[in-house]
Amino acid sequence: MPGTTLPPFPDDVRTHPLLIVDFELIKAGDREEIDRLWEAATTLGFWYLKNHGADQEVNDMFDVGAETLALPLEERLKFEQGDNGQSFGYKKVGAQAIDGTGKYLDNIEFINVSKDDALAYPRVVHLTYPSTINARMENTVAPYVRKSLDVTFVVLNIFNDKLGLPKGTLESMHAMDEHSACEVRCTRSPPVQDKEAMERAMLAAHTDFGSLTILHNRLGGLQVMPPGHDEWSYIRPIPGHAICNIADALSIFSGGILQSNIHRVVPPPGAQAGYERWSLVFFTRPTSSKVLRALVESSPIIADAVKKQPDKNFESGSTAAEWLARRVRNQRINNRRGPDTWAASRGTEHTPTAA
C-alpha cells in the first residue's frame, strides 16, 4: 500500500538505462537539456523526468487510488469498463488477455478517470465514478490532471519545434477544452510468491495508445524491449523521478521520428515481489476526432522521414478514439474469438507477438 516502507530494487537483475531529463531546465529553454530529451524520445522513447513539481499531487493521487481500490468489489464493479472499447472506469483483475494464446490473463486492477470528467466536475462528460473519486475530484484529481497537462504541453511544444511543425500544431491536436481519451490511472497488483507467476507478465506487452505517458511508481515491474533486442530489461524506479514514454499517436504524427516502444509489466524483482505494486499514470491522448496520420504536409522533416521508410504505413485510417477503442476492445478476454483478436489489439509494436 502507498506509504509502506519498501525493499530496495535489486542490483542483480538486467536493467536498461534511461536518460534523465530535468523538467525545470527544458521548461526554461535550456538547449542542452532539450537536446537530451530529444535524444531520449527519438531512440528508446523512454526517459526519467526529474523536478516535475508534482510530488504532492502524486502522493495525494496514490491515496485516492488506495481508497478507491479498497472499496468492496461489488461496488467497484458498478463502474467496470465493459467490453465495448471504453477505457474510463474500473478494470478488474483477469479482464484482459496477455498474449495471443488467451491462456493467461492479466493480474492488475485499476481505475481510470477521464481528464474531461475531472476538469468538468460536477458535470458528467463521459462517466460517473466511485464516491471516493467524487469526494476528491476537485481538490486532488483535477490538480493532478492539470499538473500532468502542464508537463505534457511543455514537452509537446519542444517536439513541435524539433519536428519543424507550425507553432502550436501538436498542442492544438491535444486541446484541453475538447473531448479526448486523456486519463488518470491508479493501478494495484497483488504480491507474487508463485515461481511460475514470477516469470509471467501481469499486463500484456504493448505500446501505449495515445501520445505521451507519465508514470509514477514505487516498485519495479516495468520492462522494455528496445528495438534490436530480444530480451526484456527492467526499468529501475528512481524516487522522485517520473518515467515518461512516447506513445503511438506521437510516433505516427512524427512519421516514426518519435519512438513508441514496446513494454510490459511483470512482478517486481527480488524481495519487492512480496509487496503490492501500486502505480499512477497520466495518459495524454489526442482530441478524439483527430485522425492518426503522419503530418507530412505540415513538416518537410516528417515528410522526409516517411519517404525513407516505404515499408511502414503512417496512414492509420483511424481517429484517436477509434484507435483506442479497437485496442482496448480486442484485449478484453470476453471479446476473444481466437489469435486474430489479439492481433487486432496491436498498435505500433516492432515485435507484435512479444509477450
Side-chain angles (χ1 to χ4, degrees):
M1 182 172 179
T4 303
T5 300
L6 302 169
F9 187 87
D11 292 323
D12 59 350
V13 296
R14 184 174 52 250
T15 60
H16 194 85
L18 300 184
L19 292 174
I20 298 176
V21 175
D22 188 320
F23 178 68
E24 285 299 325
L25 289 180
I26 62 170
K27 185 178 180 181
D30 183 278
R31 300 313 308 173
E32 183 178 346
E33 202 70 9
I34 286 171
D35 287 345
R36 184 175 291 109
L37 168 63
W38 185 246
E39 180 185 349
T42 56
T43 52
L44 182 63
F46 275 76
W47 64 93
Y48 295 114
L49 190 72
K50 69 177 184 178
N51 293 330
H52 48 66
D55 290 334
Q56 188 59 56
E57 290 84 354
V58 167
N59 290 336
D60 291 345
M61 276 304 309
F62 270 116
D63 290 341
V64 173
E67 293 163 7
T68 302
L69 297 180
L71 292 170
L73 179 60
E74 180 182 359
E75 180 66 17
R76 283 174 271 154
L77 288 174
K78 293 176 183 177
F79 305 92
E80 227 281 331
Q81 294 174 324
D83 297 316
N84 65 357
Q86 174 177 271
S87 184
F88 309 134
Y90 173 69
K91 189 202 76 65
K92 65 180 181 179
V93 169
Q96 296 178 354
I98 63 168
D99 62 22
T101 69
K103 180 180 178 181
Y104 297 111
L105 303 179
D106 75 275
N107 195 26
I108 289 179
E109 64 175 329
F110 53 69
I111 182 76
N112 290 344
V113 181
S114 157
K115 172 266 290 182
D116 299 332
D117 286 321
L119 298 184
Y121 190 82
R123 181 169 62 88
V124 176
V125 178
H126 300 288
L127 199 68
T128 57
Y129 298 91
S131 58
T132 49
I133 299 287
N134 294 333
R136 299 183 63 171
M137 191 76 86
E138 292 175 294
N139 66 5
T140 301
V141 183
Y144 172 72
V145 168
R146 291 191 182 95
K147 184 73 77 168
S148 300
L149 288 170
D150 287 346
V151 171
T152 295
F153 288 131
V154 169
V155 172
L156 287 180
N157 286 325
I158 288 170
F159 292 162
N160 197 95
D161 292 345
K162 288 283 194 180
L163 291 167
L165 289 164
K167 187 175 177 60
T169 299
L170 290 179
E171 186 166 347
S172 71
M173 300 179 82
H174 301 80
M176 276 186 67
D177 57 352
E178 294 185 37
H179 292 174
S180 73
C182 295
E183 64 188 6
V184 179
R185 173 177 296 176
C186 298
T187 84
R188 176 178 66 182
S189 53
V192 176
Q193 308 290 351
D194 179 73
K195 187 177 187 301
E196 183 183 355
M198 281 292 296
E199 299 171 357
R200 192 164 61 239
M202 298 194 299
L203 191 67
H206 63 284
T207 54
D208 284 345
F209 305 169
S211 294
L212 185 69
T213 301
I214 305 173
L215 165 69
H216 305 270
N217 62 350
R218 275 81 182 268
L219 291 177
L222 174 66
Q223 291 186 327
V224 296
M225 184 187 290
H229 293 233
D230 59 5
E231 292 183 311
W232 293 100
S233 296
Y234 283 98
I235 298 298
R236 179 188 295 271
I238 301 177
H241 290 57
I243 298 171
C244 300
N245 66 277
I246 303 295
D248 286 351
L250 271 186
S251 185
I252 294 170
F253 289 153
S254 69
I257 294 172
L258 296 168
Q259 295 291 308
S260 178
N261 199 73
I262 192 167
H263 53 284
R264 67 177 187 173
V265 178
V266 299
Q272 291 191 345
Y275 291 77
E276 286 187 327
R277 182 183 185 274
W278 291 83
S279 65
L280 173 67
V281 196
F282 187 80
F283 296 103
T284 299
R285 294 168 179 148
T287 300
S288 294
S289 61
K290 297 299 181 186
V291 176
L292 302 190
R293 60 183 300 272
L295 302 177
V296 292
E297 295 87 1
S298 301
S299 165
I301 296 172
I302 295 174
D304 186 56
V306 170
K307 196 176 298 183
K308 290 177 178 175
Q309 303 172 84
D311 57 325
K312 292 189 177 180
N313 179 22
F314 293 101
E315 296 281 347
S316 75
S318 298
T319 64
E322 291 165 345
W323 183 271
L324 174 80
R326 170 184 62 80
R327 298 200 62 189
V328 172
R329 185 171 58 248
N330 287 296
Q331 284 186 345
R332 298 282 295 195
I333 194 63
N334 288 346
N335 293 331
R336 178 178 166 80
R337 299 294 177 266
D340 288 349
T341 309
W342 172 257
S345 76
R346 303 289 76 194
T348 64
E349 291 88 355
H350 62 80
T351 311
T353 58

